[in-house]
Amino acid sequence: DAGVTQSPTHLIKTRGQHVTLRCSPISGHKSVSWYQQVLGQGPQFIFQYYEKEERGRGNFPDRFSARQFPNYSSELNVNALLLGDSALYLCASSPGHALYEQYFGPGTRLTVT
Amino acid sequence: AQSVTQLGSHVSVSEGALVLLRCNYSSSVPPYLFWYVQYPNQGLQLLLKYTSAATLVKGINGFEAEFKKSETSFHLTKPSAHMSDAAEYFCAVSDTGGSTLGRLYFGRGTQLTVWP
């Protein structure tokens, strides 16, 4: 079975621009979570979606938004990019009966210049 | 909120030696606990998890971890290190219920180096 996939792999943006990151969960998984991993640190929780509803949001500004589609894929949007948004963005999917059991994709490396 | 402390940002061992990576959690209520491994330029791979069953948990690649409630610890061990074990290891916790179930809180990571 295919694992979690994310696109694009790498992205370079300029300060002030907008970015959209995409994630496809493991087949059958109905929950998607997003994490930000800054270099040298552990991942930080941004959002969790379950059955297309936002289930939780971490301590991130309103510039960060996300949604989950009927096929359970998800998008993470970041507006007005700052240099500090440069990070590896990780998507994880979970089965509905075990939301804590998260399987991660390879991530999208975002560089803001 | 949950928090996780990983003692030692860098651990070096010789090939064949015991690997011990330390993790302590802060919650007064035992959480769900996880160890993940991250190879360079890759995502996170789940090594093992504790979800209130046996306190000694066996994972992939010969790793295991023991949940000790009295010490609020979940240390990761492997009897004999292999060169391929060199990677970054993250300990994570999750609440066991409620609206924050499934929200993982990660430690800062421990970089494991294995010398030949």
Side-chain angles (χ1 to χ4, degrees):
Chain A
D1 283 343
V4 177
T5 59
Q6 293 186 244
S7 64
T9 305
H10 295 89
L11 204 52
I12 299 175
K13 290 286 190 178
T14 304
R15 276 178 299 175
Q17 285 189 318
H18 163 91
V19 69
T20 298
L21 310 181
R22 295 178 174 82
C23 171
S24 292
I26 292 170
S27 177
H29 284 190
K30 298 181 178 181
S31 178
V32 168
S33 299
W34 287 95
Y35 293 81
Q36 180 195 64
Q37 186 179 19
V38 173
L39 198 62
Q41 296 185 22
Q44 281 202 296
F45 172 78
I46 310 175
F47 285 108
Q48 184 180 53
Y49 277 78
Y50 175 61
E51 288 281 18
K52 293 156 282 183
E53 297 289 328
E54 182 182 304
R55 193 174 176 279
R57 182 189 181 111
N59 189 24
F60 279 81
D62 291 343
R63 299 184 295 108
F64 288 76
S65 63
R67 54 180 175 167
Q68 187 177 32
F69 298 100
N71 66 353
Y72 303 110
S73 68
S74 177
E75 279 183 358
L76 175 70
N77 295 281
V78 187
N79 292 323
L81 285 167
L82 303 174
L83 294 179
D85 295 331
S86 296
L88 180 67
Y89 288 85
L90 295 163
C91 173
S93 76
S94 315
H97 65 275
L99 294 176
Y100 52 84
E101 195 166 302
Q102 301 195 3
Y103 299 89
F104 285 80
T108 293
R109 173 72 63 187
L110 172 64
T111 302
V112 182
T113 62
Chain B
Q2 296 274 5
S3 71
V4 177
T5 301
Q6 290 185 240
L7 292 175
S9 58
H10 291 84
V11 170
S12 295
V13 299
S14 299
E15 192 172 21
L18 171 72
V19 175
L20 171 61
L21 304 182
R22 300 178 187 274
C23 173
N24 289 87
Y25 63 91
S26 65
S27 173
S28 59
V29 176
Y32 292 152
L33 293 149
F34 310 85
W35 276 99
Y36 284 87
V37 61
Q38 186 175 38
Y39 296 99
N41 300 312
Q42 294 188 26
L44 302 173
Q45 181 182 12
L46 180 64
L47 277 177
L48 48 79
K49 61 182 185 289
Y50 167 78
T51 55
S52 309
T55 57
L56 183 62
V57 180
K58 294 187 183 300
I60 62 172
N61 301 339
F63 284 94
E64 61 182 38
E66 186 173 9
F67 170 69
K68 291 187 177 181
K69 182 179 177 181
S70 61
E71 299 177 7
T72 60
S73 69
F74 190 58
H75 300 333
L76 181 70
T77 60
K78 183 174 180 178
S80 177
H82 191 272
M83 296 293 289
S84 61
D85 294 328
E88 184 101 32
Y89 291 79
F90 292 95
C91 181
V93 302
S94 167
D95 290 329
T96 59
S99 62
T100 54
L101 172 65
R103 185 180 303 195
L104 295 183
Y105 299 88
F106 285 86
R108 294 178 66 90
T110 297
Q111 180 67 47
L112 176 66
T113 300
V114 181
W115 300 101

